[in-house]
DNA sequence: CTTATAACCAAGTAATTTAGTCAAGAATAG
DNA sequence: CTATTCTTGACTAAATTACTTGGTTATAAG
């Protein structure tokens, strides 16, 4: 799991898409304008999102993108891991042949933690974020915390490959 | 909150430090050897960790590093945010003057989510990871999940600045 | 059928971040 | 004094990120 501005862009774009879809698909130029992201950069991100089934694209006039499935079934973790290459960064490549007294000791621990982060992000759906927004729309109330995270998520959400 | 291999190196090194300290401080060359990380790179990381009070360094023979406070009071989030610059990546710099119909709408949502991730990582202490390891040491049992995460953390841990 | 629209695709480039080297300095135990 | 180890700074190579350019395909609308 990697968490950079790239994932932020992807989540932002997906949220914009989910929030602005009415009947017609949403075009990338709309999202680019609203969110201030380069359209061609969005094209690259959406190429990856499409290959993971998170969005569906239709070409031609009136075309654009729509969500590949219900916003409730798309997790933030799905989006972020879709646009990032998986990280390795161990000197042994997960083969536990690191020399020394403590082979891969902390590596295992990090991998475990990484999995926890992944699970956490799989527990937050786009829909939750959308609902959060509609509650605060218009009102100037400060953003409070999200609803308590349930670690046991719908198994349908857990389809994201690490 | 940023999550890259850099944070992984930092957490790995901090875990190695916490696990290998007996009486004497742990030297960077030890950590570098055990974990296969360049010593000079570790020096850079530990410079930042030291400035945040997460480690204490003592020079000279017999010197090295020790934890700045109890492992139970050092969260993974502390370590990761210590070695990374904070992310912004909004075109308005958080000033909500983005043009268009939905100014900074999704930005707020991301910021909220980012805070949730930060809180989550602040809920996992180095000590928890160490205990996890000592349970599995020797045994070849597969690593199972960490103990359920309590979102309400010790307030002492929440000192990390975002 | 033509045309405008918009997804799709690939190559290249500038900026940033990451990971590492190198060289020096300062504190300190022995 | 001397070896050790932290501490600091400058510099470099590689990787990633963000963006540009220039196309091609599919398709709705005229």
């Amino acid at each position: 799991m990697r968490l950079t501005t790239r994932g932020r862009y992807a989540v932002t774009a997906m949220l914009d898409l989910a929030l602005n879809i009415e009947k017609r698909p949403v075009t990338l130029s709309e999202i680019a304008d609203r969110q201030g992201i380069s359209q061609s950069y969005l094209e690259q991100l959406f190429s990856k999102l499409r290959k993971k089934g998170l969005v569906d694209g239709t070409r031609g006039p009136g075309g654009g993108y729509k969500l590949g499935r219900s916003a409730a079934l798309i997790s933030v973790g799905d989006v972020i891991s879709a646009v990032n290459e998986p990280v390795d960064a161990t000197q042994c490549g997960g083969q536990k042949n690191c020399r020394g007294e403590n082979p891969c000791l902390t590596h295992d621990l990090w991998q475990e933690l990484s999995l926890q982060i992944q699970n956490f992000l799989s527990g937050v759906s786009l829909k939750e974020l959308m609902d959060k927004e509609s509650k605060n729309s218009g009102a100037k109330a400060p953003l409070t915390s999200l609803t308590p995270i349930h670690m046991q998520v719908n198994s349908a959400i857990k389809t994201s490959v690490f």
Side-chain angles (χ1 to χ4, degrees), chain A residues 7 10 14 18 21 55 61 69 119-120 126 138 141 145 159:
Chain A
M14 287 291 281
I21 212 163
V55 295
R69 55 178 185 264
N119 280 347
F120 170 76
L126 283 189
S145 67
T159 54

Side-chain angles (χ1 to χ4, degrees), chain A residues 58-109:
Chain A
T58 57
R59 304 200 223 191
Y65 284 98
K66 56 187 179 61
L67 296 182
R69 55 178 185 264
S70 160
L73 295 180
I74 297 179
S75 75
V76 173
D78 290 337
V79 176
I80 290 176
S81 57
V83 297
N84 285 322
E85 304 304 322
V87 196
D88 184 17
T90 56
Q91 80 264 34
C92 61
Q95 295 189 330
K96 315 213 175 191
N97 52 356
C98 329
R99 71 207 163 289
E101 317 148 34
N102 300 23
C104 277
L105 188 148
T106 48
H107 296 163
D108 282 345
L109 290 179

Side-chain angles (χ1 to χ4, degrees), chain A residues 12 16 20 25 28 54 71-72 89 93 97 99 107 117 123 143 147:
Chain A
T12 298
D16 183 285
N20 287 289
L28 288 189
L54 299 179
N97 52 356
R99 71 207 163 289
H107 296 163
I117 298 171
L143 283 174
T147 49

